[in-house]
Amino acid sequence: FEFVVPSPSNTFVTTTTATASPHKSNKTQHLGSAVGTTTMKISVLAATLLASQSNLRPYSVRAFTAHRNVVAAAAASASRTSAPRYGPTSLVASTCKMSTTADVDVATADDATAASANNPLLENTSLPKFQSIQPSQLTPAMTSILSQLDASFASLESSLSAKLAGRDPSSSSSSSSPISYDEVLPALEKMQHPLGYAWSIASHLNGVKNTDELRKEYEANQPKVVQASMKFGQSKVLYDALSSLRTSWETADEEAATSSFLAAQRRRAVSNTLRSMTLQGVGLPVGSPEQVRFNEIKLRFAELSTAFSNNVLDATKAFGLTVTDPSDVEDVPESALAMWAEAHKRFLVKEAETEGDEEKKTEAEGMEVDAAKGPWRITLDGPSYIAAMQHMPNRDVRKKVYLGYLTRASEFTASEAEAKAEAEAEAEAADNKGEETKEEKAPIGKNNVLIIEEILKLRKEMAGLLGFDNYAEMSLASKMAPDVASVTNLSNLILEKALPAAQRELAAATDLARATGGPEYSESNLPKLMPWDTSFWVERLKEKTFDLKEEELRPYFALDAVLKGMFGLIERIFDVEVRDATGTVEVWHPDVRFFTLHDESDEGKHIASFYLDPYSRPADKRGGAWMADCLGKSEALGFDVPVAYLTCNGSPPVGDKPSLMTFREVETLFHETGHGLQHMLTRATVGDVSGINGVEWDAVELPSQFMENWCYDKPTVYGFAKHYQTGEPLPEEMFEKLKEQKTFGAGMMACRQLLFGMMDMELHSNFDPNGEETIFDLQRRMAEIYTPYALPVEEDRFLCGFSHIFAGGYAAGYYSYKWAEVMSADAFGAFEEVGLDNEEGVKEVGKKFRETVLALGGGVAPMDVFKSFRGREPSPEALLRHNGLA
């Protein structure tokens, strides 16, 4: 349920939504730098992973998003030191309102328009004023910003053209003065900042507070943003200016040019931008049919990816299954019952609101929820769906929920969704009768099958326009993997180890079902477990094997305690204190919290901040978990306090109980925090390569997966694993069982991830979107190789919800998780080598990790960063050990 869209080098404003590209930048538009000189050969990586078994859960794809949308920010923190330095000037606490009011719906506005002078989207020297932002303000803001940007960029091109021609831009006289770095990328970053600020906020809200009005405004302005991006990306003047810079550096003293970190950052930024422009079509002749068509495709991509993501969200919200018979939920954990009972109450309230029945609404709001008696309503948001698949004993209920999830946004749900959308449009037209309305394009539709087919055709065509044989080649041009064959070989090597393990795991779960499940699981009645049976019986097998139920762990993982423990770890190994500053800045929902980071090695200096949106909100928040940047560190913009968004979809509080997390949710929180730390603890000051920006896709998961390892470290776990009621620590025997479970079911998990990765690669390399084979034929063909024990059922439309590759930046890049596993495991191995109970040793290694992996960002090639930390190339030993295969 989590997405990953690593941060590319991104001089140009991203054009996709936060979740649609969750994290949120479109890799096909803004490509990071490949590591052409990496010494980590593919054969070494393949050998490393040959025996590995992924610890990624089924239905769980790691998440992280990152725009290069530099967002200005300013707010006071609960700091013992001076006011935080979010911008060129220090701002006092009064710059932002206290977040004490009730939830403010940013998608409804009494005023149809907002005057530019009072438009918070134009106030780009402070943290976003979320409680003041209305969807109706987006178009006025974008109109003003894009007009100014167009004029500013024209002026920059004119100046650079003069310099390239040997003229003084300020006169007609000749000049031998070469173009300087400050005249190009920093100048570009400054002029793009207002657009990045406003559009980033719109993208963020589109992911965490999605409404019809915001969608309409977002979709109306998206083409304008795409066009602005293309103007930058296809500027031959800008490309020539950057090329001249690179040439001048190549002829300079190499040692002197690369001796400083700042010089290295600038070189990386220029190199990344040149390649990004190449892949944005800068080489296509101006005005040629090829360029015109290329730009048409880019605009269409933006529409299709947004529609795909919206369709998934709408289909997820539309599904609900009410269960009334207590026998159907026998032995279901109390936390799941409480969650489903609360969902039923919310459904009744929403239903009454839709009907306009105030009496019915009041009655529903006053209804007492009884988790033990129900009714219970199961939805498709992450916590609810997973609980049903793992714990619902009734096979028929599980099947309905499973197929509800697998058929989202497909032909099975499109007709009803389109009919509803048409009715809403007609109602709106009736309400606006007599008013002047602008002509709108026909909607794309709610069937993602058709969207996928068009996306694949357009990607193939776009790659061909740039000289690639297929889209996979285009995607790999910026990654560490040299070609499709290398990815295939690596996947098949892993499969040799994972597939036999997966088959043994499924056989064990099947045997348990036959032995304890009753007649319906007999071989005569059920020749093999169906997909909606697998998770349920694997969970029963895990409980039987380890004598430990997930529900027994939840009381020890209350969110506040987990945060406190995680922050303690950050202080322990990185010498950084995290302070709660919730209430000092405006937020988009009452659940959202705000924290500040302070460097204990520098007298508690405020160095970064982040928002945390921890809970699932299926009504208006997209699924998954991700990290995105609100504000990036940038010398050009004068911002030295980066700010991040950390977004999860964890279990919310229920009744009088706090948020009691599953262990998987704890790992996800640590994971996203790892991404956030790389963004927030960066030393890089060149915006295009600071923090997560410019980090190669194949390496971007290093800090996030690294942080997950601490979830099995005893001092770390016992820093937060205390019973939420009694304060008693997690029993020692439970912790030992928790560690033993780490690799349980690893074979099936690895095979599932291999299927996703190779299905993605096959769709973008060998598949002919104009041929006879359908996308679902391909899915079955790949499943016969990677998960032959669990072929898709006839109704399976998983691809219609595969937002990673169709509404995000993961196309022909899903395989990248495997690359990062080697480095993250080996990085944690450095701590293991000094002894995790050796406090001084851990602190010393933590300091080095911070100074390299977290500090250098995209300013240094990832292999060089790793070698700076470990003193050598990655080794497979730690990965094999962590997966129980050493």
Side-chain angles (χ1 to χ4, degrees):
F1 289 101
E2 298 131 33
F3 294 85
V4 173
V5 178
S7 170
S9 168
N10 186 11
T11 297
F12 311 109
V13 177
T14 184
T15 59
T16 55
T17 66
T19 305
S21 64
H23 329 253
K24 295 152 177 271
S25 169
N26 193 324
K27 195 69 174 184
T28 66
Q29 299 173 30
H30 311 302
L31 296 167
S33 173
V35 186
T37 59
T38 177
T39 55
M40 184 178 177
K41 298 293 189 287
I42 184 66
S43 58
V44 175
L45 183 57
T48 296
L49 294 166
L50 170 61
S52 74
Q53 295 174 315
S54 171
N55 63 356
L56 292 179
R57 273 74 59 187
Y59 313 113
S60 177
V61 182
R62 289 308 181 188
F64 136 75
T65 89
H67 306 295
R68 175 65 211 115
N69 296 345
V70 177
V71 182
S77 71
S79 170
R80 295 193 298 264
T81 59
S82 59
R85 294 156 296 132
Y86 287 106
T89 58
S90 295
L91 300 171
V92 296
S94 61
T95 54
C96 289
K97 300 175 184 177
M98 295 288 285
S99 175
T100 56
T101 61
D103 186 16
V104 177
D105 189 347
V106 299
T108 59
D110 295 330
D111 301 326
T113 60
S116 294
N118 298 315
N119 194 325
L121 293 172
L122 298 177
E123 299 175 19
N124 53 41
T125 58
S126 66
L127 283 172
K129 296 181 178 179
F130 287 111
Q131 294 180 8
S132 304
I133 294 171
Q134 303 292 343
S136 60
Q137 296 162 336
L138 183 58
T139 294
M142 299 310 295
T143 300
S144 173
I145 290 169
L146 290 171
S147 176
Q148 179 59 47
L149 182 60
D150 189 62
S152 298
F153 188 58
S155 177
L156 176 64
E157 284 191 309
S158 176
S159 176
L160 294 176
S161 294
K163 283 233 168 186
L164 288 168
R167 302 194 311 273
D168 185 340
S170 61
S171 66
S172 58
S173 60
S174 62
S175 172
S176 60
S177 175
I179 291 175
S180 70
Y181 170 82
D182 287 339
E183 292 175 301
V184 192
L185 288 187
L188 193 63
E189 188 176 357
K190 292 174 185 175
M191 71 175 61
Q192 288 181 330
H193 168 62
L195 178 57
Y197 177 86
W199 193 244
S200 161
I201 294 173
S203 297
H204 176 68
L205 291 175
N206 204 36
V208 297
K209 202 164 185 60
N210 187 282
T211 64
D212 292 340
E213 187 178 356
L214 179 57
R215 279 190 189 185
K216 182 180 294 186
E217 293 292 329
Y218 186 88
E219 291 169 12
N221 286 280
Q222 189 176 48
K224 306 171 192 175
V225 178
V226 176
Q227 289 169 334
S229 173
M230 291 189 299
K231 179 175 290 188
F232 291 121
Q234 296 177 356
S235 169
K236 296 189 183 299
V237 173
L238 178 60
Y239 186 90
D240 290 344
L242 290 169
S243 296
S244 71
L245 265 179
R246 184 167 63 178
T247 300
S248 68
W249 287 340
E250 289 173 350
T251 58
D253 179 21
E254 182 71 18
E255 183 176 351
T258 59
S259 60
S260 76
F261 181 41
L262 179 60
Q265 293 177 65
R266 290 176 172 179
R267 286 187 166 225
R268 286 267 291 175
V270 168
S271 177
N272 290 354
T273 304
L274 284 169
R275 180 170 52 217
S276 177
M277 295 182 72
T278 299
L279 297 179
Q280 289 221 33
V282 71
L284 300 174
V286 176
S288 66
E290 292 81 5
Q291 187 193 54
V292 171
R293 179 56 182 159
F294 185 90
N295 291 345
E296 289 174 349
I297 292 173
K298 298 286 281 188
L299 285 166
R300 185 60 174 171
F301 273 156
E303 295 176 344
L304 292 172
S305 64
T306 299
F308 186 103
S309 186
N310 285 342
N311 289 349
V312 173
L313 177 61
D314 290 345
T316 301
K317 291 193 299 183
F319 180 92
L321 180 63
T322 299
V323 178
T324 58
D325 188 345
S327 65
D328 288 339
V329 295
E330 186 176 354
D331 295 327
V332 170
E334 191 276 335
S335 63
L337 295 177
M339 172 174 58
W340 295 338
E342 288 278 358
H344 179 69
K345 177 178 178 177
R346 289 195 301 270
F347 167 72
L348 294 179
V349 172
K350 183 68 175 178
E351 185 178 53
E353 288 178 346
T354 302
E355 296 171 358
D357 190 331
E358 287 299 321
E359 183 178 347
K360 184 178 178 181
K361 178 183 176 183
T362 300
E363 181 181 348
E365 289 175 334
M367 182 182 73
E368 185 175 343
V369 173
D370 190 329
K373 296 181 179 179
W376 307 272
R377 189 167 180 83
I378 303 171
T379 65
L380 297 183
D381 64 293
S384 180
Y385 174 77
I386 293 174
M389 289 297 97
Q390 291 184 338
H391 301 293
M392 174 61 69
N394 186 309
R395 290 191 73 235
D396 291 336
V397 173
R398 287 202 310 269
K399 179 179 179 179
K400 290 176 183 177
V401 176
Y402 178 85
L403 293 180
Y405 186 82
L406 264 291
T407 57
R408 291 178 304 164
S410 69
E411 72 272 26
F412 293 106
T413 63
S415 297
E416 183 177 347
E418 288 171 354
K420 179 182 177 182
E422 185 177 346
E424 290 173 348
E426 290 176 355
E428 182 178 358
D431 290 341
N432 297 330
K433 188 175 182 179
E435 298 180 10
E436 182 178 350
T437 58
K438 57 184 179 182
E439 183 178 348
E440 296 183 359
K441 292 188 295 184
I444 291 176
K446 299 293 184 179
N447 185 354
N448 279 355
V449 175
L450 303 179
I451 293 178
I452 291 171
E453 291 172 348
E454 184 175 357
I455 285 175
L456 291 174
K457 290 176 183 178
L458 292 178
R459 282 177 176 165
K460 185 176 180 64
E461 182 182 359
M462 182 174 69
L465 290 171
L466 295 182
F468 295 98
D469 288 340
N470 51 59
Y471 185 81
E473 285 188 4
M474 179 177 170
S475 175
L476 291 176
S478 63
K479 295 180 175 67
M480 296 172 72
D483 50 41
V484 174
S486 299
V487 175
T488 303
N489 292 338
L490 174 60
S491 298
N492 290 342
L493 286 171
I494 300 170
L495 185 68
E496 290 179 20
K497 192 71 176 181
L499 182 56
Q503 290 169 329
R504 290 192 299 269
E505 292 159 3
L506 181 59
T510 302
D511 289 344
L512 181 63
R514 302 262 191 251
T516 64
E520 66 180 332
Y521 290 100
S522 67
E523 193 164 2
S524 59
N525 290 329
L526 189 69
K528 61 179 293 186
L529 293 184
M530 297 303 290
W532 47 87
D533 298 320
T534 306
S535 292
F536 179 84
W537 285 106
V538 167
E539 189 67 18
R540 302 290 79 73
L541 179 63
K542 184 169 72 171
E543 292 171 354
K544 179 176 182 292
T545 302
F546 301 103
D547 190 25
L548 180 66
K549 295 184 176 181
E550 185 176 70
E551 192 71 4
E552 296 176 80
L553 292 170
R554 275 183 181 263
Y556 296 95
F557 299 147
L559 175 63
D560 284 347
V562 173
L563 287 174
K564 184 178 180 181
M566 185 175 68
F567 296 160
L569 170 69
I570 292 171
E571 184 169 9
R572 173 190 171 202
I573 61 177
F574 300 135
D575 207 17
V576 171
E577 181 187 7
V578 183
R579 303 177 192 169
D580 192 340
T582 304
T584 64
V585 302
E586 294 189 26
V587 295
W588 55 92
H589 190 277
D591 291 341
V592 178
R593 301 168 70 172
F594 188 74
F595 299 89
T596 57
L597 275 63
H598 301 263
D599 192 346
E600 293 300 287
S601 65
D602 191 10
E603 300 181 346
K605 177 183 177 183
H606 176 216
I607 55 173
S609 303
F610 68 92
Y611 297 88
L612 174 65
D613 190 347
Y615 309 132
S616 169
R617 291 192 302 276
D620 59 8
K621 183 179 178 182
R622 300 188 189 277
W626 63 89
M627 174 266 160
D629 67 1
C630 171
L631 166 67
K633 192 171 222 176
S634 169
E635 182 179 32
L637 297 174
F639 298 138
D640 60 354
V641 178
V643 182
Y645 298 120
L646 302 187
T647 306
C648 297
N649 268 273
S651 301
V654 176
D656 58 356
K657 290 185 179 180
S659 170
L660 300 178
M661 308 172 73
T662 65
F663 188 68
R664 181 182 295 122
E665 290 171 348
V666 173
E667 289 181 296
T668 298
L669 178 61
F670 272 67
H671 182 101
E672 301 312 322
T673 301
H675 287 306
L677 289 172
Q678 187 172 34
H679 172 66
M680 295 184 286
L681 299 185
T682 185
R683 283 198 299 112
T685 57
V686 173
D688 289 318
V689 295
S690 71
I692 52 180
N693 294 318
V695 177
E696 278 71 12
W697 194 297
D698 308 59
V700 80
E701 293 294 328
L702 194 168
S704 55
Q705 292 182 342
F706 162 82
M707 283 295 290
E708 285 188 64
N709 287 288
W710 295 97
C711 294
Y712 298 91
D713 170 55
K714 189 171 184 178
T716 300
V717 172
Y718 278 91
F720 62 77
K722 297 178 176 59
H723 197 283
Y724 80 101
Q725 290 176 315
T726 67
E728 290 295 316
L730 181 73
E732 183 110 8
E733 60 272 20
M734 292 179 71
F735 175 68
E736 292 303 321
K737 292 175 182 178
L738 186 64
K739 290 198 300 181
E740 292 171 6
Q741 289 182 4
K742 183 177 181 182
T743 58
F744 178 82
M748 293 175 66
M749 296 172 196
C751 287
R752 183 175 177 82
Q753 293 302 310
L754 290 172
L755 172 61
F756 293 167
M758 288 311 301
M759 186 162 55
D760 163 41
M761 192 61 70
E762 187 75 0
L763 283 168
H764 292 102
S765 57
N766 298 319
F767 178 68
D768 181 3
N770 296 305
E772 294 183 3
E773 184 183 41
T774 70
I775 56 176
F776 303 112
D777 292 337
L778 182 146
Q779 178 184 358
R780 175 169 285 273
R781 173 163 60 85
M782 300 307 291
E784 289 172 349
I785 299 172
Y786 293 97
T787 58
Y789 53 86
L791 297 178
V793 295
E794 188 65 29
E795 303 95 328
D796 192 318
R797 295 295 184 268
F798 165 78
L799 287 170
C800 291
F802 202 179
S803 297
H804 316 75
I805 66 173
F806 295 120
Y810 233 98
Y814 196 94
Y815 76 93
S816 296
Y817 290 111
K818 298 303 178 184
W819 245 258
E821 281 186 287
V822 178
M823 292 188 286
S824 63
D826 197 356
F828 188 71
F831 291 83
E832 294 175 316
E833 288 168 10
V834 300
L836 294 175
D837 56 352
N838 176 359
E839 280 303 300
E840 290 304 314
V842 166
K843 286 180 179 293
E844 188 62 31
V845 178
K847 178 181 180 183
K848 191 173 184 180
F849 187 88
R850 176 183 170 182
E851 291 174 347
T852 53
V853 176
L854 299 181
L856 299 180
V860 178
M863 182 56 63
D864 293 333
V865 172
F866 187 89
K867 289 165 70 175
S868 295
F869 172 61
R870 281 300 254 155
R872 57 168 174 75
E873 298 174 16
S875 164
E877 293 179 8
L879 177 64
L880 298 176
R881 184 175 67 255
H882 292 171
N883 284 276
L885 301 171

